[in-house]
């Protein structure tokens, strides 16, 4: 008996139990052995010489299975069919089918190749296994069938016909088609978006890359597969990316929208910025099998933001410049108009005493203008300086020198100035002249804003490894608003400019202390006094 595995499966599906299955095999075996095939249709419609009981059993069994089963004679005429096949062919009775060939159900041109294949089968005995047939004009709509045809032989081994089994794979085909369509759609989308999308395996090798990635890497779909970042960039950068991806795959923690800068040397054209997202990919067992990455280019956005910042910076610069010009003009205008008035009076008055007073006033204002210009030059020099030449300087000594220099101002106001320190060797690395200027400006203010008989205390100590200099006065003090502005250039609480000073003393002191890597803090209470705290890094030998 020469039954194919397909045929055996069909027979097993027909049988309701093992006994029926064995019985069917015996029957088929008998058909095969006896091969009592007849070209004439018997009364029962049988073409094989079977007992009525056997024939019925076979027919019932085959009728119940959901695959088309049919038998054809040597001239490819249908001689046996099951119901599934009848239905598949859009027929309602066996009479419409038996004795006919495919030519009567399909167009000749379509039936011809099948006919020829069947004739070859019957001549050679070589079965046709799992051949796919597309039937677009089927009465049940376009159908796909998977057909297997095998020869049937008589007891002399001569081929007397064929048994055909068609499995309807339309559903599967339609599902495959829609899957393919979906895949095509997805590919079209992935390849037409500007983002770089890629999938890498557990060893960070490219498995898939979209068109945008391929263009960027100057690669093709075929050549990129299996490559790593080491093939496209310098080893150091590739190693960093590799370690990052391995970390994602080991921990399962995705990288989301991280901003990356890729210099022109790498992109081989211009500097570029990307937002990079990399997420782990899981296999069907739930294990991480790779990563999917999306690089979104944000170069134009970053450049626009930079240009905006530069524009804002420029605007701020020109605003500062115009404020500066307004402030400076104000500072110059007052002495100039005093000088103008004094000159006018001197020219028009014959009174020698008066002339002397006004000449003195002119001299004072000229000095003030000189001081202003000198302060401006000093401030401008400090602005341009980033580094200063330093050497170890004893803080108490510098402060002592400054207090001595201010002796006359101190004694005029009868102030009590006390310098306290628990360690007069405390040293900082400083530009001695500049540091002296900073202390002078703070001390000068303390003297100026402290009423007669008041006290100024300068305390130098070491706190948390830093040198702390506290300059405390019992002067007029400052409101919160004043404190907030004292380091702004030209700011003075005295809007009328009736006191000396240009509002540059503290901004200059701050700039100097910052050049020494230090800071200034202020505490003050109106009517009680002020405390300026200068903090500088301590210098220790070795
Ligand atoms: P100026 O040379 O005009 O004093 P500064 O920059 O030195 O300019 O100080 C700015 C302002 O800070 C002063 O005009 C004053 O209002 C306030 N100020 C500074 N030091 C003191 C102080 N010790 N006591 C009270 N007010 C002070």
């Amino acid at each position: 008996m020469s039954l194919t595995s397909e045929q055996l499966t069909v027979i097993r599906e027909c049988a309701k139990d093992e006994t029926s299955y064995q019985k069917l095999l015996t029957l088929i075996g008998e058909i095969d052995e006896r091969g009592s095939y007849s070209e004439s249709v018997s009364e029962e419609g049988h073409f094989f010489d079977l007992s009525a009981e056997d024939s019925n059993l076979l027919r019932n069994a085959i009728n119940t299975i959901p695959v088309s089963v049919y038998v054809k004679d040597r001239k490819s005429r249908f001689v046996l069919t099951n119901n599934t096949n009848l239905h598949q062919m859009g027929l309602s009775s066996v009479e419409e089918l038996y004795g006919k060939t495919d030519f009567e159900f399909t167009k000749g041109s379509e039936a011809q190749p099948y006919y020829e294949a069947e004739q070859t089968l019957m001549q050679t005995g070589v079965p046709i296994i799992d051949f796919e047939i597309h039937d677009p004009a089927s009465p049940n709509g376009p159908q796909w069938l998977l057909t297997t045809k095998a020869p049937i032989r008589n007891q002399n081994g001569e081929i007397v016909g064929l048994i055909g089994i068609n499995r309807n794979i339309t559903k599967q085909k339609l599902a495959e088609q829609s899957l393919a369509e979906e895949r095509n759609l997805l590919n079209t989308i992935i390849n037409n978006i500007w983002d770089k999308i890629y999938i890498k395996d557990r060893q960070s090798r490219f498995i898939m890359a979209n068109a945008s990635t391929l263009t960027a890497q100057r690669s093709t779909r075929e050549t990129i597969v299996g490559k790593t970042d080491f093939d496209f960039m310098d080893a150091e950068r590739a190693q960093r990316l590799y370690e990052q991806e391995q970390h994602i795959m080991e921990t399962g923690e995705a990288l989301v929208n991280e901003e990356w800068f890729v210099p022109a040397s790498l992109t081989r054209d211009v500097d570029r910025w990307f937002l990079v997202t990399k997420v782990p990919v899981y296999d069907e067992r739930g294990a991480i099998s790779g990563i999917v990455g999306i690089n979104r280019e944000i170069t134009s956005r970053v450049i626009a933001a930079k240009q905006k910042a530069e524009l804002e910076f420029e605007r701020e610069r020109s605003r500062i410049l115009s404020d500066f010009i307004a402030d400076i003009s104000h500072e110059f205008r007052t002495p100039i108009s005093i000088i103008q008035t004094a000159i006018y009076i001197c020219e028009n008055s014959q009174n020698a005493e008066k002339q002397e007073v006004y000449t003195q006033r002119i001299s004072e204002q000229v000095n003030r203008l000189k001081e202003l210009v000198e302060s401006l030059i000093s401030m401008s020099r400090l602005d341009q300086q980033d580094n200063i030449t330093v050497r170890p300087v004893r803080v108490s000594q510098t402060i002592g020198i400054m207090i001595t220099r201010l002796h006359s101002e101190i004694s005029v106001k009868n102030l009590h100035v006390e310098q306290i320190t628990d360690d007069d060797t405390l040293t900082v690395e400083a530009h001695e002249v500049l540091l002296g200027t900073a202390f002078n400006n703070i001390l000068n203010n303390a003297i100026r804003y402290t009423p007669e008989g008041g006290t100024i205390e300068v305390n130098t100590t070491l706190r948390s490894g830093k040198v702390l200099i506290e300059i405390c006065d019992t002067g007029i003090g400052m409101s919160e608003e004043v404190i907030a502005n004292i380091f702004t250039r030209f700011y003075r609480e005295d809007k009328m400019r009736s006191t000396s000073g240009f509002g540059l003393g503290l901004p200059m002191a701050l700039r100097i202390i910052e050049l020494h890597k230090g800071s200034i803090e202020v505490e003050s209470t109106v009517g009680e006094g002020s405390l300026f705290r200068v903090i500088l890094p301590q210098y220790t030998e070795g």
Side-chain angles (χ1 to χ4, degrees), residues 445 448-449 473 478 486 491-493 501-503 505-507 530:
N445 282 342
R448 258 192 292 157
Y449 298 108
D473 65 53
M478 293 174 277
I486 52 173
Y491 175 82
R492 291 164 71 193
E493 195 188 358
F502 308 107
L506 289 181
S530 307

Side-chain angles (χ1 to χ4, degrees), residues 2 4 7 117 120-122 124-131 147-151 153 159 162-163:
S2 59
T4 64
Q7 288 167 325
T120 306
L121 177 150
M122 283 187 276
T124 62
V126 179
I128 298 166
I129 295 169
D130 285 346
F131 183 75
T147 185
T148 291
K149 292 175 187 174
R153 296 170 191 276
I159 295 172
L162 62 85
I163 178 164

Side-chain angles (χ1 to χ4, degrees), residues 301-314:
R301 201 201 298 175
V302 171
I303 289 175
K306 277 188 165 195
Q307 283 169 345
K308 195 170 164 229
E310 275 166 20
L311 200 73
E312 268 163 22
F313 179 72
E314 267 314 306

